[in-house]
Amino acid sequence: MDVIVKLFASLAETEGWRQKPCRLSDGATVREAWAVATGRHDMPARVLCAVNLDYRELSTPLQSGDEIAFFPPVTGG
Amino acid sequence: MSILLKDGHFDPYAEVRRFTDMHFPMPGAYGATAMFVGTMRDYNEGSVVRGLTLEHYPGMTERHLEVICGEATQRWSLLAALIVHRIGEVQPGEDIVLVAAWSAHRAEAFDACRFMMEDLKSKAPFWKKERLEAGARWVSYNTAGTTELT
């Protein structure tokens, strides 16, 4: 299945990209989307993730067409 | 309820006036207005800060601000709620965020305003990057929202 992976803020700067399409195996989770998009399994501490604009856990299963986002703790306000 | 993202200077007091006039055309409908305004300092963590860039996640940001307003409105039976937040470039002394709540009595407006601000701080996807005298840095965390010792 095909998904879109987005990174924001310091995470996007560190990784050197902001958005990329990824092809995942059926039944893949958010954690696997990270691994495929970045090419590695380890993840910086305190990274948050969202699927289709809502916060989700790393174990959340994905559907084709999902938008997955990874970002550092939020600092607005 | 209403949420606004502003790319550029805004006057929170004028926003509250405008929103009040729009939502309460008849006098006497509300008894309490609580508002919080967050303003950019020119110092942080021992450094002089020249300015900051507010990055956000388009789509998710608006959605979460609406969720925050909706939760507060329901939980405290608010008559109206408003959140305005800057995006893009911000200069020291400029206002970054406005949260306001209208209710019949003060308790609901006070409590809802505090809740909305704290929820925004911990959940709304904004990120600050500070411009320093030499270089730039991402703000890595938000300070505690209460003065209680934890």
Side-chain angles (χ1 to χ4, degrees):
Chain A
M1 61 178 165
D2 294 316
V3 300
I4 298 288
V5 178
K6 292 184 173 182
L7 304 180
F8 289 92
S10 56
L11 200 54
E13 280 189 4
T14 306
E15 295 296 323
W17 54 273
R18 289 190 163 267
Q19 176 171 332
K20 64 166 72 166
C22 287
R23 181 155 289 178
L24 306 176
S25 55
D26 286 348
T29 63
V30 171
R31 188 188 304 279
E32 283 145 353
W34 168 268
V36 170
T38 63
R40 60 178 201 280
H41 289 280
D42 63 302
M43 185 181 283
R46 300 166 72 207
V47 166
L48 301 170
C49 48
V51 178
N52 300 331
L53 311 180
D54 283 320
Y55 283 103
R56 290 287 181 262
E57 302 295 324
L58 289 172
S59 57
T60 301
L62 298 170
Q63 307 286 327
S64 186
D66 280 350
E67 176 176 303
I68 303 104
F70 297 96
F71 45 81
V74 300
T75 55
Chain B
M1 70 183 195
S2 181
I3 64 124
L4 285 170
L5 297 180
K6 293 262 190 185
D7 189 355
H9 171 77
F10 80 105
D11 178 348
Y13 309 97
E15 290 291 340
V16 165
R17 182 77 265 158
R18 184 188 62 78
F19 188 83
T20 305
D21 292 344
M22 189 175 69
H23 272 259
F24 304 104
M26 302 294 286
Y30 62 95
T33 308
M35 64 183 284
F36 174 88
V37 177
T39 307
M40 191 195 153
R41 285 172 284 115
D42 63 2
Y43 60 94
N44 191 29
E45 305 263 317
S47 302
V48 172
V49 182
R50 298 294 190 199
L52 62 80
T53 305
L54 266 164
E55 183 176 333
H56 75 295
Y57 184 172
M60 184 170 175
T61 306
E62 293 89 335
R63 185 178 176 124
H64 273 261
L65 295 182
E66 283 170 4
V67 166
I68 290 167
C69 271
E71 277 184 26
T73 300
Q74 200 165 29
R75 189 164 156 189
W76 283 281
S77 301
L78 296 182
L79 300 169
L82 171 66
I83 298 177
V84 183
H85 203 292
R86 289 283 297 274
I87 54 174
E89 301 300 311
V90 184
Q91 306 303 321
E94 290 184 345
D95 296 320
I96 296 176
V97 63
L98 160 68
V99 170
W102 287 259
S103 59
H105 302 283
R106 69 186 182 286
E108 289 79 9
F110 268 133
D111 291 352
C113 191
R114 181 58 171 271
F115 164 82
M116 289 195 289
M117 191 58 211
E118 296 307 323
D119 221 47
L120 181 157
K121 279 274 190 184
S122 62
K123 291 184 191 156
F126 293 102
W127 301 274
K128 290 186 184 119
K129 189 174 193 181
E130 296 174 333
R131 288 191 301 282
L132 308 177
E133 289 180 302
R137 70 181 174 199
W138 290 97
V139 176
S140 56
Y141 62 93
N142 272 333
T143 54
T146 77
T147 53
E148 292 164 7
L149 294 174
T150 54

